[in-house]
Amino acid sequence: MRPAWLEINLSAIADNVSNLKTVLGPQREIIAVVKADGYGHGVLPVSQVALNAGARMLAVAMVEEALELTQAGLQAEVLILSATPRQAAATIVEYGFHAPLTDMAGAQALSQAAQEQHRPANVHIKVDTGMHRLGVAAEEIADYCATIKSLPGLAIRGIFTHFASSSSDPQFTLAQLGSFKKVTAQAEAALGYSIPLKHCANSGAIVRYPESWLDAVRPGALIYGIPRNPGGVYMPTMRQAVTLRANISCVKPIEAGAGVGYGLTWTASQDTQIALLPVGYADGYDRLLSNNADALLRGQRVPVVGAVSMDCTIIDVGAIAGAGVDEEVVLVGQQGDENITVAEIADRCDTVIQEVVSRFSPRLPRVYTHDPGDVRVKELELVDSGQQ
Ligand SMILES: Cc1ncc(COP(=O)(O)O)c(C=O)c1O
């Protein structure tokens, strides 16, 4: 195996889901967001563990991701979050996926596919309450529902919206929530029945606004244990599941005044030792981390020096006597008492935590672990993942 890999602790994911379930209480469902290959963690193992730990449904971004789950043999309700192309309507109905209703043409295509196949099209009405991304405008929902009511074959399983800034703007988030509640009542009045699953909360809203939990919540970050600066009152106990590890591929002395890496962006201020790690930006270890991150060696922080290149990153190990080839270094995650969180990496790259993990490339092998004796995960036969 390549001497650089992502270790995913599935016990952490199981705990994160079941701790969240405890916080939410028995009457609220969890829709585990596993799009983008389970936020880079590996969609199949993550999905299985999340379902076993109490998630009711899985959510992905696109039809292809939903098919991957079904074709691997996973038995679960799968919600597609992004707009689905009209040509995908037949596939959505055939496999029983839950699709978002975002416009009239999409509703008509799903209704037609449902009639052709003599089976219902599972749909969730997507409402735009102010993010101005996807969904039917809040003010148009009553008319929209009055029209789709007459389309045969649509089984309206849910209604949902998405928050624009649940972690940073309470006023706007609560206004969106207020609008969603109002619109949901209008939709139900127009349809003449109650919609079973009303959902809007992502991780940021889950930890801050219990009033947003409604019938179900849609956590992504929370189930991987990566939220930044949580600040929420309803924070379940949570552990980061991912660790990026690499073995040192070479160590060399370097003299004071010598430059390192592309562009020689770092110059040794004293004689020291540098070590090469076989991980680069093509693995998802961002170039913005050049001269701007630490790694962990023997439980101590050592600096990344010079530019991160496509396949390689350099660290200054002068402070660690006798650091040698094959020694294990942690670039993201815990080693000893030190911890480099995904949130720290996101801060250093001025981005969101979701981007850091979802950009870990397939080139990095995923190695699945669990806590010693954790039978929930140990006895799980990972579906078709090829790894454990
Ligand atoms: C519609 C929708 N719901 C829920 C989530 C989960 O968000 P988070 O990772 O912040 O929990 C996402 C993520 O992008 C999303 O697009």
Side-chain angles (χ1 to χ4, degrees), residues 31-33 35 39 59-61 79 81-82 126 131 133-134 160-163 166-167 199-206 217-224 226-227 353-354:
I31 302 173
V33 180
K35 58 184 176 161
Y39 282 39
V60 295
L79 170 66
L81 295 171
S82 298
K126 175 77 192 274
M131 190 171 182
R133 204 174 60 166
L134 192 66
F160 70 119
T161 194
H162 195 43
F163 293 124
S166 61
S167 305
H199 49 104
C200 57
N202 59 348
S203 297
I206 293 168
V217 297
R218 296 190 313 270
L222 263 181
I223 63 176
Y224 307 100
I226 56 172
I353 47 177
Q354 289 87 346

Side-chain angles (χ1 to χ4, degrees), residues 303-353:
V304 167
V305 294
V308 171
S309 46
M310 188 184 277
D311 316 303
C312 163
T313 295
I314 302 169
I315 52 177
D316 178 357
V317 295
I320 315 271
V325 169
D326 287 344
E327 269 200 71
E328 189 175 294
V329 172
V330 166
L331 290 149
V332 182
Q334 184 141 9
Q335 194 188 55
D337 294 334
E338 275 288 353
N339 193 8
I340 296 176
T341 61
V342 168
E344 174 181 331
I345 299 289
D347 283 342
R348 289 179 183 276
C349 296
D350 195 17
T351 187
V352 293
I353 47 177

Side-chain angles (χ1 to χ4, degrees), residues 253-325:
I254 180 162
E255 288 178 1
V260 159
Y262 282 121
L264 307 175
T265 60
W266 182 80
T267 305
S269 59
Q270 57 186 38
D271 292 354
T272 188
Q273 299 271 335
I274 55 168
L276 266 61
L277 303 175
V279 176
Y281 61 76
D283 298 302
Y285 192 73
D286 205 291
R287 239 180 125 258
L288 292 170
L289 297 166
S290 304
N291 294 309
N292 182 30
D294 290 332
L296 304 178
L297 174 60
R298 299 188 197 165
Q300 286 181 51
R301 282 181 178 253
V302 293
V304 167
V305 294
V308 171
S309 46
M310 188 184 277
D311 316 303
C312 163
T313 295
I314 302 169
I315 52 177
D316 178 357
V317 295
I320 315 271
V325 169

